[in-house]
Structure formats: C-alpha cells, structure tokens
Amino acid sequence: MKKMKVLVAKPWEIAVRILRACQEMGLPSVAVFTNVDEAALHVRYADEAISIGEKQKYLDITAILEARPSKRHHRRSSRLWLPGRKRRVARRVEEQGLTFIGPRPETVSMMGDKLAARAFLASRPAGHRWDG
C-alpha cells in the first residue's frame, strides 16, 4: 500500500476531528491555513501546516492543490485525501490522481437536484423507524 497523507483544507471543528482520527490511525496529516488562522486548532493538530495566504484562498481549489505536500517536498506521498462537499472540488481532486474524502461528484450533483435525490432515496429500503 502506498504512503498516504491527509490534507485538511478547512479550519472548522470537523477538521480537528479528522486530524484526531488521523493521529489515532497513524496517518500523517497536513493542515492548510490562511493568514488569519495560523494559530487555529486544526493547524496545531496536524503533523505539518502549509500557508495558502489570504482567507479567500479557502475557496480556491487551485491554491489548495498547489499547496499539497507532494508538489513541494514530500514526493513519496502520492495520494492525498481532502474533505469537502462541492462537486467541482471533488472532480478537480480526482483529476489530480488524488483520493477525495466525501461523496463522489455524481452524488453531490444528484443531491443538488431535489427531484433526482427523492427518486434515488425512494428506490432504497428504509431503515428501522424509531418513534422515541
């Protein structure tokens, strides 16, 4: 199995949870941060941290992909996971030959279409109902 590194590109509580899970699983991690959150908790939990500059860079998938460690100094890390939800982000990550943590781009598209999502869910068996 190839060496893998998890890149976390969001500064929220979920990032801290992902980074803690990485530590428990023994997976190396990288946090991406901007000029306003370099002291944030997710940066401290990561094994490495890479600055991407201005706060609006979190919305720039190109800036995040350019910051990934395998492009800079960790060539042995050929696969990378990114958490997120946006269809275009998932697609761009996969186009780079990386692994995306989260729903597949097709799933994100379908869930954005209420009629398609309802039709899909109607075709699935329902779980047990609890009337607590």
Side-chain angles (χ1 to χ4, degrees):
M1 184 173 178
K2 291 183 179 177
K3 258 293 207 208
M4 181 177 311
K5 216 175 249 199
V6 178
L7 175 76
V8 178
K10 295 289 182 188
W12 303 320
E13 174 61 26
I14 189 67
V16 174
R17 291 181 188 181
I18 290 168
L19 292 165
R20 283 182 182 160
C22 288
Q23 287 175 347
E24 289 175 16
M25 296 172 65
L27 290 172
S29 60
V30 180
V32 172
F33 67 93
T34 64
N35 56 344
V36 296
D37 59 10
E38 67 182 288
L41 198 54
H42 79 291
V43 175
R44 289 185 272 160
Y45 270 91
D47 295 322
E48 293 178 60
I50 298 173
S51 174
I52 57 172
E54 305 272 329
K55 184 164 177 74
Q56 52 273 36
K57 291 285 188 176
Y58 278 125
L59 303 175
D60 183 358
I61 186 61
T62 303
I64 292 169
L65 289 173
E66 285 297 315
R68 76 180 195 257
S70 61
K71 287 219 62 148
R72 290 199 173 176
H73 46 78
H74 291 279
R75 296 201 191 316
R76 63 183 181 194
S77 307
S78 58
R79 292 180 57 200
L80 197 53
W81 295 357
L82 284 164
R85 294 188 184 152
K86 303 268 189 211
R87 178 183 70 230
R88 66 182 170 80
V89 172
R91 193 161 281 128
R92 287 281 305 278
V93 169
E94 289 177 355
E95 287 170 357
Q96 295 289 315
L98 307 172
T99 304
F100 182 78
I101 295 177
R104 291 177 297 163
E106 310 80 55
T107 305
V108 175
S109 292
M110 180 185 51
M111 291 302 161
D113 179 348
K114 195 179 275 189
L115 293 175
R118 285 184 179 172
F120 174 76
L121 293 175
S123 70
R124 300 284 185 236
H128 295 288
R129 184 173 172 177
W130 182 69
D131 291 323

